[in-house]
Each structure stands twice: as C-alpha cells, then as structure tokens.
Amino acid sequence: MMTNRLKRIGSLAVSAALAVSLFSGCASTASEPTGPAPTVPVEIMEEAYVDALSLELVELEDEAVALSAAPAAVGSLLLPVASGTKTEKNAKAVIDYSNTADGYVMVQFTAASSVKLKVIVKGPATDYQYNLTAGKWATFPLADGNGTYKVTVYEQTSGNKYATVLSKEFSVTLKDEFAPFVRPNQYVDYANATNTVAQAQKLVTDAGASEPLAKVKVIYEYVVNNLTYDTAKAQSVQSGYLPVLDDVLAAKKGICFDYAALMTGMLRSQDVPCKLVVGYAGEAYHAWVSVWTKETGWVDGAIYFDGTTWHRMDPTFASSGKSSSSIMQYIGDGSNYTTKYIY
C-alpha cells in the first residue's frame, strides 16, 4: 500500500544519504531538565562507540572524507525545526526529539566551548558519529528507519578523550520510509544554499520536468556535465569536512562527497526523496546517490530511465570518466558498491 508521499511523488521516490562519518582511503515526551549528566571519560576511535552512561571506555578517531575520483521562484522547502515539545537537556546541551516521525533529531551545545564536540546517533543497525559546533543547532537523520535510537553528546577533555555531556534514548516510528531523506541535515545542508535551490528550480523549469524521474535525469546531467574532480582538494581536505553546496556550485568542482551532496540537495529541494550514501566503490571509499522506484525498490547508485533501460548513475565516476563505456559499465554493476553509511 502506497503512502501519501508515494502517491504524491508517483512511481519514483528518489532517496539520498550522506555519510556522517567519512573515512579516507578513496582513490581516494517533553522531559524536564535532568541536571548535569555524570561526566564519563570516553576515548573516541574508529568503529568503537560508548554506552553513554556506562563506565566503559572506548576509542573513536575522527573520520576522514570520501574522496574517490573518477533565479526562478522556489517552492516551499521542508525544513527541520527544533519544536521543543520533546527535549532532553541540561546546563550544557539540549537534544530535541520532537520530530522523529519526520525522520530527524536536532542537537545544540548551548554552553560556551572551545574544544571538540561530538554527537553519536546510535540507531537500530548503525552508529553514526558527527561533529558539533557550540551555539548552533545541528540536524541528524534517523537513517536506520523505525526502532530505538540513542543520541549522546560528548565534549573533549584531551586528545581522543571525551566526557559524556547528555544522552537520550527514544523510539522512532516514521511517517513513511522516505522521511529521513527529504529535509536538510548536516551533510546535505540545502537550507543554507539559496543558489543551489534556485539552480535546481531553474533546471527543472527549463526542462519542463514535473515528474520525479525527469527531475533526477536533468539534475544528474547538470552535475555530471558542469563539475570536475578537484584533485588538489582531495589531497588536502581534512577530517570533519562538510560540503557547502553553494560553494561547490560556484566552483564547479569538488570531491565525490561534493558531487553527491550537491545532487542530493538539489533533488531534495525539489521534493524528491534521495539518499546520500557513503561506502565503497570497489576498494575506494566513495560517496554516491541512491534511488528508489516502484518497479525496482531501492537501488545502490542513482539511476535514470532513458525510455528503454534503467541506468545506474554515480555523479563522480560518470563525470570524471566522461561517461566512457568502461566507466558506465562499472557504474552499472551494483556489485561494485558496498553501503556503509546513509545520510
């Protein structure tokens, strides 16, 4: 049975996921304030996460970036909001879980801080690690779908050691399976990308693209034909890098993370659900766009239909490889892609 969103968007629901924790290696109910949480020293390292209120020590390193090479009227955007109806907070931070049915949770570190801050969103299947900036709300997708989540805020004490600041566990029942993949989040921040949103609107208007599939095709072709792979950036980018969509649009170049985030932001601004995916393309740590169709369900790697055949789309590889037959053959083989994180 199709959901209201499926009825609205037709046979195609495109979904995008953006890696919350990115490694290098590519070819790169309202709760009353509970008072300060116990300080728990935690060492934060790759693939290891802490039970926030336990005394267990773990390590988790900063994760690097997926690098692999290879103005019209804008409609109403679905923007996240910290409603304040369901919160967990103390003197240092607040977790707003008012809108979990819409697929997201928001966190703000309210105290002054000059050290590193992190958030771990532990889902039913995957743990996601994020960086946090004091004084600013950050939005995180509930990408694992329905189930129990635990959100924990950490503050650095020294080096890789972190203290638990605040933690909240809650149950999630999404309005529909696409809810986490339509709004802006830390990795796909089109809420602050007016030029990107305007360009997406212009592209679909000029092409007369009203159906989701047509929007996918025109936006994909724009990204592939207008961006080039930024080798220098790939060699210098630091852990914690987040794409600024308007900057990528203006520069017309970027790493795979930039390609995927830009395409995802454009599609979501057009009410086309999509996932930004981070994982492996062969042995390369990479980022790409994933879609869903009524006919095929979820498909790893964005696809489009040319009237005869479904084609898998990977914006970075298709662009850097100039859509050569060998590149398109590789992209078309789903076995080459292994998903690790979805944003």
Side-chain angles (χ1 to χ4, degrees):
M1 179 177 182
M2 295 200 304
T3 64
N4 289 335
R5 178 170 295 281
L6 284 177
K7 293 176 182 177
R8 176 159 55 88
I9 67 175
S11 65
L12 172 70
V14 182
S15 61
L18 172 88
V20 172
S21 302
L22 303 171
F23 294 86
S24 60
C26 296
S28 261
T29 259
S31 302
E32 293 298 322
T34 57
T39 296
V40 181
V42 175
E43 292 197 28
I44 292 190
M45 207 162 188
E46 177 181 336
E47 301 296 335
Y49 300 87
V50 67
D51 179 354
L53 298 180
S54 76
L55 293 176
E56 178 186 0
L57 298 180
V58 298
E59 293 184 348
L60 190 159
E61 291 181 344
D62 289 340
E63 297 175 8
V65 181
L67 301 175
S68 186
V74 177
S76 177
L77 300 179
L78 291 172
L79 301 181
V81 59
S83 305
T85 57
K86 293 182 179 180
T87 64
E88 186 76 16
K89 57 186 177 181
N90 59 22
K92 285 191 170 183
V94 55
I95 300 169
D96 190 309
Y97 60 105
S98 306
N99 299 291
T100 58
D102 286 323
Y104 67 92
V105 61
M106 298 183 72
V107 177
Q108 184 180 33
F109 199 89
T110 54
S113 180
S114 59
V115 299
K116 288 184 178 181
L117 307 170
K118 292 184 179 290
V119 173
I120 291 177
V121 178
K122 183 179 179 63
T126 309
D127 293 2
Y128 290 89
Q129 178 192 337
Y130 301 87
N131 291 332
L132 190 65
T133 300
K136 296 183 178 181
W137 282 106
T139 305
F140 308 116
L142 303 173
D144 278 354
N146 296 339
T148 299
Y149 288 77
K150 188 173 187 177
V151 176
T152 306
V153 182
Y154 297 99
E155 184 176 27
Q156 183 186 39
T157 56
S158 65
N160 286 339
K161 295 183 179 180
Y162 285 72
T164 301
V165 173
L166 185 66
S167 186
K168 179 62 181 179
E169 186 173 280
F170 49 83
S171 180
V172 172
T173 302
L174 299 174
K175 290 180 178 177
D176 59 57
E177 65 176 297
F178 310 108
F181 311 117
V182 293
R183 289 171 176 80
N185 59 44
Q186 191 184 64
Y187 285 83
V188 189
D189 189 11
Y190 68 85
N192 294 305
T194 56
N195 294 336
T196 296
V197 172
Q199 181 63 50
Q201 182 66 42
K202 184 178 187 301
L203 289 169
V204 300
T205 299
D206 289 352
S210 58
E211 295 300 318
L213 186 56
K215 293 179 179 180
V216 173
K217 188 176 187 297
V218 68
I219 289 174
Y220 168 78
E221 290 177 346
Y222 175 84
V223 172
V224 167
N225 293 328
N226 287 275
L227 267 66
T228 58
Y229 190 75
D230 192 338
T231 304
K233 185 175 184 177
Q235 295 172 345
S236 62
V237 69
Q238 299 296 308
S239 174
Y241 170 76
L242 295 173
V244 178
L245 302 191
D246 277 358
D247 289 354
V248 176
L249 182 72
K252 295 188 182 298
K253 60 183 179 179
I255 57 176
C256 67
F257 195 7
D258 297 319
Y259 277 78
L262 182 64
M263 184 173 175
T264 299
M266 285 182 158
L267 286 169
R268 290 186 184 181
S269 75
Q270 286 294 311
D271 200 28
V272 179
C274 52
K275 297 176 181 179
L276 188 156
V277 186
V278 170
Y280 293 91
E283 296 182 355
Y285 203 60
H286 187 40
W288 64 92
V289 178
S290 186
V291 303
W292 182 96
T293 72
K294 181 180 179 181
E295 294 79 11
T296 64
W298 292 106
V299 178
D300 264 340
I303 61 172
Y304 74 93
F305 189 62
D306 65 5
T308 305
T309 307
W310 288 102
H311 298 271
R312 189 179 305 272
M313 298 189 305
D314 178 317
T316 312
F317 284 175
S319 175
S320 60
K322 304 302 180 184
S323 298
S324 69
S325 59
S326 59
I327 286 292
M328 297 312 291
Q329 183 177 11
Y330 180 87
I331 292 171
D333 184 356
S335 65
N336 291 318
Y337 292 81
T338 304
T339 298
K340 187 173 180 67
Y341 299 110
I342 300 175
Y343 301 97

